[in-house]
């Protein structure tokens, strides 16, 4: 029997011809809106931008993973929050690279926990936060296979 995690995930994305960037994203019965901020010409800021969704995916997976682990252990976690930041930085290991403009994507994850937790439990929560499935996916080499269908 296949586990839910073994099933292929399918989402649908639609950018109607009458919209500049406002996009409908559908995952099963859930519908969301994506857009570019107003600072981007044509953006209407009707929804999060693609990088917001990337950070939200990572953050939601992380807090769910933490909660599952802590509940299993019976630890007194009262609440868990996350703040994530994404930016591009000059690659430190590229100081001698041919392209002086080389930059790498950096995602900063800050986990905020509440509860009567020991220092050892807090350290274990930090360790577990780096083992959520989305975190592990983003840290691996990812193969993206693209195709196009024309109607």
């Amino acid at each position: 029997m296949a586990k839910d995690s073994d099933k292929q995930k399918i989402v649908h994305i639609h950018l109607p011809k009458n919209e500049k960037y406002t996009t409908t994203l559908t995952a099963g019965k859930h519908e969301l809106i994506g857009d570019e901020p107003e600072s981007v010409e044509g953006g209407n800021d009707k929804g999060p931008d693609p990088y917001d969704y990337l950070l939200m995916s990572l953050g939601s997976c992380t807090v769910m993973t933490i909660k599952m682990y802590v509940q299993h252990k019976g630890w007194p976690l009262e609440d868990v929050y996350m703040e994530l930041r994404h930016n591009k930085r000059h690659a430190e290991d590229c100081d001698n690279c041919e392209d002086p403009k080389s930059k790498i994507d950096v995602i900063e994850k800050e986990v905020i926990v509440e509860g009567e937790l020991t220092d050892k439990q807090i350290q274990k929560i930090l360790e577990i936060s780096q083992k959520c499935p989305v975190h592990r996916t983003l840290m691996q080499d990812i193969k993206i296979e693209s195709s196009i269908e024309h109607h």
Side-chain angles (χ1 to χ4, degrees):
M1 174 181 243
K3 299 182 295 187
D4 283 345
S5 62
D6 294 337
K7 293 180 183 175
Q8 182 180 26
K9 289 287 196 179
I10 299 174
V11 299
H12 296 97
I13 313 299
H14 182 223
L15 179 52
K17 66 180 178 180
N18 62 330
E19 292 287 350
K20 183 76 173 184
Y21 299 119
T22 304
T23 307
T24 303
L25 305 95
T26 307
K29 64 181 181 179
H30 307 286
E31 187 173 285
L32 305 165
I33 298 295
D35 204 349
E36 288 291 341
E38 290 177 348
S39 61
V40 173
E41 185 178 334
N44 291 310
D45 203 22
K46 290 183 180 177
D49 72 30
Y51 278 103
D52 291 336
Y53 276 114
L54 177 68
L55 294 178
M56 287 189 284
S57 174
L58 176 59
S60 63
C61 182
T62 301
V63 295
M64 289 178 202
T65 300
I66 289 169
K67 187 135 189 189
M68 284 179 205
Y69 182 84
V70 167
Q71 284 179 333
H72 176 73
K73 290 291 191 181
W75 293 352
L77 177 70
E78 292 177 23
D79 227 334
V80 59
Y81 306 87
M82 287 209 61
E83 181 171 305
L84 293 98
R85 293 172 288 283
H86 170 260
N87 58 67
K88 293 184 181 281
R89 295 186 189 156
H90 178 63
E92 293 173 12
D93 59 352
C94 262
D95 287 336
N96 297 319
C97 291
E98 292 178 23
D99 182 1
K101 296 178 184 174
S102 288
K103 296 203 176 209
I104 59 169
D105 287 271
V106 176
I107 295 175
E108 299 173 40
K109 287 174 44 173
E110 181 178 7
V111 180
I112 301 138
V113 293
E114 293 180 2
E116 296 294 322
L117 300 162
T118 66
D119 289 343
K120 188 174 180 181
Q121 289 170 328
I122 290 169
Q123 278 307 116
K124 187 64 176 179
I125 289 170
L126 178 61
E127 181 183 319
I128 293 301
S129 77
Q130 298 170 24
K131 295 185 179 191
C132 86
V134 173
H135 184 115
R136 291 192 330 239
T137 297
L138 291 171
M139 295 303 294
Q140 300 295 317
D141 289 334
I142 300 173
K143 182 178 181 181
I144 299 175
E145 299 173 350
S146 300
S147 64
I148 189 163
E149 184 175 322
H150 179 239
H151 293 264

